[in-house]
């Protein structure tokens, strides 16, 4: 399986978002990660469907919408309509996770489920077969530029084993504190999709950073 880089536009320059998206795509981004925060599920507010709709006008790669919000069911149809291709929801925010996953599918998007760093992997046991990807948060969500929580590597290894035992092809995505320096060990632990915000947008040459990351994970 080809491993993928998903730059998070949370760290992009919002005064020129369209140019940033074109630049990151030309630099080799595989998915465009869009962090939606509501000030309730996480202590920060970021962007909503309007930004997804604007991104869709310039992006040709899949839009990967990470919902860090309470009551995601209320907003999933809108995000789908505005151009999301993949939508991930936090297990901690969903009372009826199967229902939410079905809603994402019925809106024509690929579903993913997300776990905060302290949430047991066992919460995935009965939904793993219904999702395209699992997002392991390697920081507590809410802000870019935080440090990678090291035991996330063990969580990735355990999840990989759960997926293998069930004979599934679920992708493992990792988000938070991913850099050129730690991407090798994260990849070796079993991750398939790497979200990176500050480590990519914080550098001048996006192509150089993404190429370096891809060289390491292949
Ligand atoms: C954190 C977000 C991340 C964030 C990652 O709540 O979900 O996607 O943008 O930023 P970095 O890569 O800077 O840790
Ligand atoms: Zn994210």
């Amino acid at each position: 399986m080809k491993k993928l880089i998903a730059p998070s536009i949370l760290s992009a320059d919002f005064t020129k978002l369209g140019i940033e998206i074109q630049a990151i795509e030309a630099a080799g981004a595989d998915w465009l990660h869009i962090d939606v925060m509501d000030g309730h599920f996480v202590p920060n507010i970021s962007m909503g469907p309007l930004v997804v709709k604007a991104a869709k006008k310039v992006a040709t790669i899949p839009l990967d919408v990470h919902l860090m919000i309470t009551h995601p069911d209320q907003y999933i149809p809108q995000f789908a309509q505005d151009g999301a291709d993949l939508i991930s929801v936090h297990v901690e925010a969903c009372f009826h996770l199967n229902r939410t996953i079905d809603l994402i599918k019925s809106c024509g998007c690929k579903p993913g489920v997300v776990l905060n760093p302290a949430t047991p992997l066992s919460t995935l046991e009965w939904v793993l077969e219904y999702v395209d990807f699992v997002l392991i948060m390697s920081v507590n969500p809410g802000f870019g530029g935080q440090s990678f929580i090291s035991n996330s590597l063990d969580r990735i290894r355990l999840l990989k084993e759960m997926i293998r035992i069930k004979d599934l092809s679920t992708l493992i995505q990792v988000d938070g504190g991913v850099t050129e320096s730690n991407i090798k060990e994260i990849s070796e632990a079993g991750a398939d999709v790497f979200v990176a915000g500050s480590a990519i947008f914080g550098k001048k040459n996006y192509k150089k950073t993404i190429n370096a990351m891809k060289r390491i994970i292949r």
Side-chain angles (χ1 to χ4, degrees), residues 1-21:
M1 223 299 300
K2 191 180 156 226
K3 302 215 173 192
L4 307 173
I5 301 288
S8 162
I9 60 166
L10 191 64
S11 295
D13 180 347
F14 273 69
T15 62
K16 49 172 189 173
L17 187 58
I19 294 166
E20 288 276 74
I21 291 172

Side-chain angles (χ1 to χ4, degrees), residues 4-191:
L4 307 173
I5 301 288
S8 162
I9 60 166
L10 191 64
S11 295
D13 180 347
F14 273 69
T15 62
K16 49 172 189 173
L17 187 58
I19 294 166
E20 288 276 74
I21 291 172
Q22 281 165 338
I24 211 69
E25 201 171 315
D30 298 295
W31 294 357
L32 192 70
H33 188 79
I34 303 181
D35 287 304
V36 177
M37 304 177 183
D38 67 351
H40 294 278
F41 182 72
V42 289
N44 195 10
I45 300 177
S46 60
M47 47 200 127
L50 200 68
V51 175
V52 173
K53 196 173 183 178
K56 196 67 180 178
K57 289 187 183 155
V58 285
T60 65
I61 53 174
L63 301 188
D64 164 32
V65 177
H66 174 192
L67 297 182
M68 286 163 275
I69 63 175
T70 55
H71 309 299
D73 297 31
Q74 286 179 20
Y75 302 96
I76 286 165
Q78 186 68 52
F79 280 106
Q81 193 185 316
D82 287 338
D85 296 285
L86 307 111
I87 295 181
S88 56
V89 291
H90 275 258
V91 299
E92 305 88 0
C94 297
F95 289 119
H96 308 285
L97 191 50
N98 298 68
R99 190 176 283 156
T100 305
I101 291 166
D102 285 345
L103 176 61
I104 295 171
K105 287 183 185 169
S106 73
C107 291
C109 298
K110 289 191 170 164
V113 285
V114 195
L115 257 51
N116 280 336
T119 303
L121 291 179
S122 56
T123 56
L124 293 173
E125 193 172 353
W126 302 106
V127 293
L128 208 46
E129 64 208 273
Y130 303 121
V131 297
D132 287 86
F133 63 106
V134 172
L135 169 48
I136 294 286
M137 286 308 302
S138 38
V139 297
N140 284 281
F143 305 93
Q146 303 181 80
S147 302
F148 185 88
I149 297 173
S150 59
N151 70 10
S152 308
L153 293 173
D154 292 329
R155 288 163 63 75
I156 296 163
R157 286 186 201 105
L158 277 170
L159 174 59
K160 195 77 178 175
E161 186 58 10
M162 281 170 73
I163 293 168
R164 193 192 61 77
I165 289 168
K166 286 182 180 275
D167 198 22
L168 297 167
S169 52
T170 322
L171 297 177
I172 301 178
Q173 185 180 43
V174 179
D175 184 5
V178 176
T179 67
E180 253 180 86
S181 320
N182 61 16
I183 200 166
K184 185 172 192 282
E185 49 184 353
I186 302 170
S187 177
E188 284 171 357

